[in-house]
Every structure is written in C-alpha cells, then in structure tokens.
C-alpha cells in the first residue's frame, strides 16, 4: 500500500470519527489531549436490528444530570489548569469527552477513537500527510463510572498502555495490575466498604440478612467480600440475588417474591442506581415495606432511587457516601452554563432542553435536535417517546438557578471532586515530566521524556510515581492497588419537612486508618428507621432464649435459627447481664457430690460456628453457579496480553479439629450447708473425669461458657 493510500484511509477514518457528532462530544483543541468518559444518559433504547439495512447506532435515553455535572467538573479543572501560571506554563490542555450512556458498547465506541488516534500518531506520517486539523494523541483518559464499563475500557486501553484514571469504579477486581496494567482511580476500592457493611450489621446485633448484588464486576465481588466478613461474625444470609438494569420482568418479579417471603428485614445491596431501579419500582408497586436497606455508595445517594415517591419503601436507608471535597469557583462555573457561551460542549443543548422542558431551534443542519438523538427525561420517559413536539421553544433567557435538578446539587461534591482530582493527577504527572532534570528521570539511564512529544506510556510511568498535595492540603499518591485510600460517611435517608425531598443525614463515619474495632462510629440518636422511628428494627432469625431455656438446633436450618428448649430435670439456668448481651444463654448440667456442686453448660457456640461456615460456603457455591458462561465472558472480554515489561522502556506492543475436649481445671462450688470441706490432700476433679461422669462431647466448664 502506498503512503498516498494510507493518507486516504486516515482521512476517511478522521471523517468518520468526526461524524460521531460534535453534538455527541465535548471537544477542545490543545497541546495535550485528555479523554473523558461520562454517563450523560442512563441507558440505551432496545432496538431490533434485522440487518436488512445498515445497522444504526443505538439510541441513548434518560438524561443524567449528575453525569453532566461530573463532565463539567473535568472541563472546569482543565480550564483552571490552563489559567495557572505555575502548573504546565506555556502549555494548553485540550479534551475530547464522550457519553458512555452507561453501557459497555458506547464506552468502547469512544475508547476506540482514543486508541485509533494514538496509533495514527505512532505511524509518524506527518511528512506524507499535511493535515492542518491534526488532533494530538489522547495521552490519558478520565473515566469511566461503573466498574463493569471501566473493566472493558481498561482491557482495551491497557493493550496500548494509555493511562485510565477512574473517578467512580471501585471494584476490587480492578486492583489487579497484571490484568489491568494502565488502570488507576481516585476512589477507594470496595474492600473496606464491604467490611464496613458487615461491621454495621454486627453493631446493631442483626444476624439474619438478605443480599442483592448487581450482576457485574462491581456487585459480585463486593457482595462476596461482605459474605466473607459475615463468616467471622456469626451472621447468616437468608437469600442472595443478582440483578441488572435490563433484567427480564419475570426475573425481577421472582426476586421481589423472594424478598417478600423472607423473614430477613435487613437487605444489603451492592449495586449501582440504574441496576437497582427496576427492582425498587416493582417493590414500590407491591408496597413492600418494613425493610431496612443497607446500601453501597454507588446507589446510596442516587437520584434514581432517592425519590420522594419511593420514600415509604426506602425511607430510613443506611448508606455509604464518599468523603466530599471542595472545588472553589465550581458553583459559579455551573451557573454560567449557556448554549451560546459553551461552544465546545456539544452536550449543552440537550442539557438546556431537559432542564427547562423546552427545545432549542436548530441553527445548522449539521446540528440536529437533541430530541432526534436522545429521548426521555431523568424520571424515565420511555424510549421512542419524543418530547420535543410537546415543548415550547426556549428563549435563551431561562435562569439556571430557578430550576432544581441534581446538576445544581453541589452541597456535597463527592464524585465531582474525584473527577477534579483525576484531572489534577494527570496534570501533575505532566508537570513532573515538564520539570524533569536529565540524569534524574524515570527512564533509561535517568533520562526524561520530552513534554512536547510525550507519549501515553510515559505519563503512566509518572502517574505510578505520583505524589502531590491537593487543594485541601492532602497528600495524593496511588497505592499498590493503583487507587487512593479514603474514608466513608454513613448517611441515613430522611424526608425534608420543607419541600418533601430526600435528605442524606450524616449519622456516622468509617475510618479505614483506625485499628480494627475502632473504625466505625454511629450516632444512633440521629437515625430515623423507616423514616420516622427511633427503635432499632429486629432482623434476627430467632428470638433470644429466656431463663430456664436453652438453644436447640433445628435440622436443616442455619445456625442463626434455633428453638428454645426447656431445661430438663437436673439442669439449671442462670444468666448475667453481660451474658445476656453476648446472647450466651443455656442450661447448666448440675453435678452433685458429697462435697459440693459443679455446674457445666452444653456448648452451642462451637457447633454454631462450624455450621455457619458450612452455610456460607453453600452460599458462595450458589453464587458461583449463578454466574453464567456469558458473565464469565464479559469479565474476560478484551483481556490484554500479560507483560512484565518495565515502563522505563517503551513497551513492545503485540497483538492481542472440632472434637477436642476441654482440659481446663474444674471449678468447684461452695460446700452445701452442713457438709464437710474437701481436705487439702484430696486431688481436684479433672475435666476429663467430669466429662466421663456427665457424658457428652461438648461440655465446658461454667467458668468458660454460661
């Protein structure tokens, strides 16, 4: 193939990528380009492709105001850096930002444009192709949101060592550097969050819960980690269900039926808002109340779930939230958005129409109405229901502060701050390249990268060695799992008496830096259960046994479920306040001797621990059985080639025993009235002797168990 032919092919590719639509991306030129992936829409419309004509791109539906705010945080950070006299002086950052529509297919479509541009630049055809509109390579990508989407993106970007800095993907699977070589994030992974969930369940002395997880790389690993934690805490799981955004209606109803029939009142959910929404809508329709929802951070503050019309079902939810940050000037930046002022942001037009429920006339035939591309408001107009025909025209004089949307909810900047931090992380990595002294660099023989010809793999190398202080005075560096370690706020859903909106009341926090047992703090006085009650709900399989009874095992039931059996003749039952708190009630065998009385208890706990471990093992096997071959294929899609190449050199890219008896000394009781005291020379009774005398395999001394 001649170089002339190559140029023609590249020109055609450039034209096609531009046809992806200026109105479907936010783009601005610069010396160095950063890519961005954000969920401006919650999903795509289902459309049957019969292949009788060229397949069309799927349509994005249901506008996501929060997603647009996150995009704005990236643009704000870039403009702030470009205005800085000290950070990357005499250089301009540009951007190319796409809408993932919260789907893997759209995210990969955008990611391919990043990769293709980089490969075009690597051919070094400038001397053969005089392209005046040449766009530099994308040297780093900010995104994506969901862990499942980021996994697919990371598989592709990792092939070319293009750094990816996610602001919201927290799956612990993404910590595998061998599999995801170029993935980093400004959000903690889910290891600590799952542990914190188990700590909360244990704190309120619940031992009977249900679990629900998104069927993706976020939900499955998160809930599995929670299950591992329950094994150490005497917590039983009644049911485990998997959900998804596009789960068939009959399967959703089956999950709802399981929840309705379960006696577990606490439901632990590891999911995103879009994946959980169909289930919650069905639960609301059936008016299933009286449950306490324990939510992961991906949905605990989601505008899709935290809706007033859902409050009678979801009120009192306990959830996790990321630590909020401060972005000075961001509020004013959000308020200044306007279609006529933001010429580089192709998402502004639709944002304006969705905010004010009007339509902007098309001033150019190449700038089609957003209604023809994206339909349905945040609350969920169905696909294909164009609302533009029923909207009045926009005047352009609308006031953005007069409308309440999640876009203007900047009171707690969590994900937005993570986006801001991701951009600054890349900028500081570039600054390290810019100020590098030859002989002290990170590359061969201490050499430095050329900032004017910097490549993505060189930026990745500097990101892994990054250490800087953010605008809040905190040190930022990526740990061995390529993420930041952070703390969580614990929130409780209240209903605002002023406007009836959902309020996320902070009722505690979880400090991952504290030692075990001191990480969780909860202010119970601030919690409203089910939105109004101050009484802690009961979620245990069985009630505590009363004095005069003991726990009895029920065949075929988990060990958290037991029956209270009356003490038989020759047994006594007594308990202290401490023993009541520890739920260690039982009958003591009374053994009488001429010289005194020794009381022993039947040990329920040892059997309980063993049976609980077996129960949870069955749950793990059940969950694994639910993962279909398709799910496994999704996890392994686009897997990069494993490579041990150091980043100090340019990568060489290639084609892709439970029966032990106690041996403690026996504890003797006081002599009966009128009885003789034991003589000093009389040997004490051994535990083995007492066991043989009383009989049974699970007897321990009264000093150990009660």
């Amino acid at each position: 193939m001649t170089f002339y032919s190559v140029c023609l092919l590249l020109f055609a590719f450039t034209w096609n990528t531009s046809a992806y639509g200026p109105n479907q991306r936010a783009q601005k030129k610069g010396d160095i380009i950063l890519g961005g992936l954000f969920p401006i829409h919650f999903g795509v419309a289902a459309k049957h492709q019969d292949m009788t004509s060229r397949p069309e791109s799927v349509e994005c539906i249901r506008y996501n105001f929060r997603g647009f705010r996150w995009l704005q945080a990236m643009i704000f950070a870039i403009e702030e850096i470009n205005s800085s006299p000290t950070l990357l002086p005499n250089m301009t950052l540009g951007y190319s930002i796409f809408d993932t529509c919260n789907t893997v297919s759209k995210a990969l479509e955008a990611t391919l444009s990043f990769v293709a541009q980089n490969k075009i630049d690597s051919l070094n055809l400038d001397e053969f192709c005089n392209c005046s509109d040449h766009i530099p390579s994308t040297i780093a990508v900010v995104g994506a949101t969901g862990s499942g989407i980021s996994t697919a993106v990371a598989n592709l970007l990792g092939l070319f060592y293009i750094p990816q800095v996610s602001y919201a993907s927290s799956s612990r699977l993404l910590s595998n550097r061998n599999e995801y070589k170029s993935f980093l994030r400004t959000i903690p992974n889910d290891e600590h969050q799952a542990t914190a969930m188990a700590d909360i369940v244990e704190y309120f002395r619940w031992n009977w819960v249900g679990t629900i997880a998104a069927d993706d790389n976020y939900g499955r690993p998160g809930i599995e980690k929670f299950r591992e934690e329950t094994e150490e805490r005497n917590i039983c799981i009644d049911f485990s269900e998997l959900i998804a955004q596009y789960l068939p209606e009959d399967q959703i109803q089956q999950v709802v039926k399981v929840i309705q029939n379960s006696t577990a009142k606490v439901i632990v959910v590891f999911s995103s808002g879009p994946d959980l929404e169909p289930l919650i809508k069905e639960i609301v329709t059936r008016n299933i109340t009286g449950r306490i929802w324990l939510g992961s951070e991906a949905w605990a503050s989601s505008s899709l779930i935290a809706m007033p019309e859902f409050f009678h079902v979801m009120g009192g939810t306990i959830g996790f939230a990321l630590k909020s940050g401060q972005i000075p000037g961001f509020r004013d930046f959000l308020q200044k958005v306007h279609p006529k002022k933001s010429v580089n942001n192709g998402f502004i037009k639709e944002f304006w129409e969705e905010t004010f429920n009007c339509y902007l006339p098309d001033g150019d035939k190449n700038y089609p109405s957003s209604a023809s591309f994206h339909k349905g408001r945040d609350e969920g107009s169905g696909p294909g229901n164009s609302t533009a025909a029923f909207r009045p025209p926009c005047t352009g004089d609308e006031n953005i502060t007069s409308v309440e949307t999640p876009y203007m909810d900047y009171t707690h900047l969590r994900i937005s701050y993570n986006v801001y931090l991701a951009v600054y992380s890349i900028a500081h990595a570039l600054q390290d390249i810019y100020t590098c002294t030859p002989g002290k660099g990170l590359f061969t023989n201490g050499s430095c990268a050329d900032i004017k010809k910097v490549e993505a793999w060189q930026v990745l190398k500097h990101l892994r060695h990054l250490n800087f202080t953010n605008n809040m005075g905190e040190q930022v560096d990526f740990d061995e799992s390529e993420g930041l370690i952070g703390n969580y706020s614990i929130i409780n859903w209240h209903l605002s008496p002023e406007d009836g909106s959902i309020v996320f009341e902070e009722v505690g926090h979880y400090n991952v830096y504290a030692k075990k047992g001191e990480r969780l703090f909860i202010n119970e006085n601030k919690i409203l259960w089910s939105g109004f009650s101050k009484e802690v709900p009961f979620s245990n399989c069985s009630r505590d046994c009363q004095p005069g009874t003991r726990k009895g095992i029920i065949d075929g039931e988990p060990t958290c479920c037991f029956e209270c059996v009356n003490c038989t003749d020759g047994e006594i039952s007594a308990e202290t306040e401490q023993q009541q708190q520890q739920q260690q009630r039982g009958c003591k065998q009374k053994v009488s001797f001429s010289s005194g009385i020794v009381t022993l208890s039947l040990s329920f706990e040892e059997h309980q621990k063993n049976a609980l471990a077996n129960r949870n093992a069955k749950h793990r096997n059940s969950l694994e059985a639910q993962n279909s071959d398709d799910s496994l294929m999704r996890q392994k899609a686009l897997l990069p080639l494993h490579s041990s190449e150091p980043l100090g050199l340019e990568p060489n890219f290639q084609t892709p025993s439970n029966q032990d008896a106690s041996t403690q000394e026996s504890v003797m009781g006081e002599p009966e009235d009128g009885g003789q005291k034991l003589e000093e020379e009389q040997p004490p009774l051994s535990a083995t002797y007492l066991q043989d005398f009383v009989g049974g395999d699970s007897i321990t001394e009264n000093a150990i168990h009660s």
Side-chain angles (χ1 to χ4, degrees), residues 478-500:
F478 297 100
D479 63 12
E480 294 181 357
S481 63
E482 306 294 15
L484 303 181
I485 299 178
N487 299 322
Y488 294 96
S489 297
I490 300 173
I491 59 175
N492 180 221
W493 288 16
H494 293 190
L495 196 64
S496 171
E498 287 80 15
D499 57 8

Side-chain angles (χ1 to χ4, degrees), residues 290-349:
R291 271 61 175 180
I292 297 299
W293 300 84
L294 182 56
S296 63
E297 55 81 23
W299 74 268
S301 58
S302 171
S303 58
L304 289 176
I305 311 299
M307 302 178 67
E309 52 265 43
F310 295 170
F311 190 78
H312 68 287
V313 169
M314 304 301 295
T317 291
I318 300 291
F320 288 84
L322 300 172
K323 184 181 66 174
S324 60
Q326 302 296 324
I327 309 179
F330 188 48
R331 175 178 179 177
D332 293 336
F333 180 81
L334 293 177
Q335 294 178 350
K336 290 178 181 178
V337 63
H338 196 278
K340 295 181 180 179
K341 297 178 181 178
S342 307
V343 295
N344 297 310
N345 193 340
F347 299 108
I348 291 289
K349 184 174 185 289

Side-chain angles (χ1 to χ4, degrees), residues 20 57-58 98 104-114 156:
Y20 192 64
S57 180
V58 292
F98 292 91
V104 170
S105 60
K106 281 292 185 181
L108 288 180
E109 185 179 349
T111 306
L112 282 171
S113 70
F114 301 144
L156 183 53

Side-chain angles (χ1 to χ4, degrees), residues 141-159:
V141 176
V142 176
T145 307
S147 294
I149 296 175
S150 279
T151 300
V153 171
N155 283 325
L156 183 53
L157 293 179
L159 289 172

Side-chain angles (χ1 to χ4, degrees), residues 39-204:
I40 310 303
H41 294 84
F42 282 114
V44 295
K47 185 176 183 179
H48 176 67
Q49 303 281 6
D50 57 8
M51 300 300 176
T52 57
S53 59
R54 183 185 296 274
E56 298 178 356
S57 180
V58 292
E59 180 185 42
C60 299
I61 58 173
R62 306 177 65 216
Y63 197 77
N64 182 2
F65 287 97
R66 293 179 72 201
F68 183 69
R69 167 157 48 86
W70 302 339
L71 179 149
Q72 288 286 80
M74 178 174 177
I75 296 177
F76 174 79
I78 290 176
E79 293 186 1
E80 194 175 65
I81 292 168
N82 288 340
S83 301
S84 172
T86 58
L87 190 57
L88 298 176
N90 304 319
M91 297 200 70
T92 302
L93 294 180
Y95 52 82
S96 183
I97 306 175
F98 292 91
D99 179 11
T100 66
C101 301
N102 201 42
T103 60
V104 170
S105 60
K106 281 292 185 181
L108 288 180
E109 185 179 349
T111 306
L112 282 171
S113 70
F114 301 144
V115 171
Q117 187 63 50
N118 283 30
K119 296 307 292 179
I120 290 173
D121 282 357
S122 69
L123 295 176
N124 194 21
L125 299 176
D126 291 345
E127 58 180 301
F128 303 100
C129 300
N130 184 15
C131 302
S132 58
D133 292 333
H134 172 71
I135 300 175
S137 298
T138 301
I139 56 91
V141 176
V142 176
T145 307
S147 294
I149 296 175
S150 279
T151 300
V153 171
N155 283 325
L156 183 53
L157 293 179
L159 289 172
F160 306 97
Y161 292 87
I162 301 174
Q164 173 189 358
V165 187
S166 174
Y167 48 84
S169 301
S170 56
S171 172
R172 58 175 178 159
L173 298 183
L174 287 165
S175 297
N176 187 339
R177 185 186 290 187
N178 292 326
E179 193 165 352
Y180 309 105
K181 294 189 289 290
S182 64
F183 180 84
L184 306 98
R185 51 186 163 195
T186 56
I187 184 174
N189 73 45
D190 292 324
E191 289 278 347
H192 296 296
Q193 185 176 189
T195 302
M197 284 181 157
D199 285 347
I200 289 181
V201 173
E202 184 179 38
Y203 176 89
F204 289 109

Side-chain angles (χ1 to χ4, degrees), residues 122 231 294 310 365 540 649 670:
S122 69
E231 293 181 2
L294 182 56
F310 295 170
K365 64 179 180 179
N540 296 58
L649 298 173
E670 292 295 325

Side-chain angles (χ1 to χ4, degrees), residues 267-285:
I267 304 175
V268 180
V269 183
F270 242 101
S271 173
S272 66
D275 285 326
L276 182 61
E277 184 191 22
L279 176 66
I280 298 303
K281 283 185 173 180
E282 182 64 24
I283 290 175
V284 170
T285 300

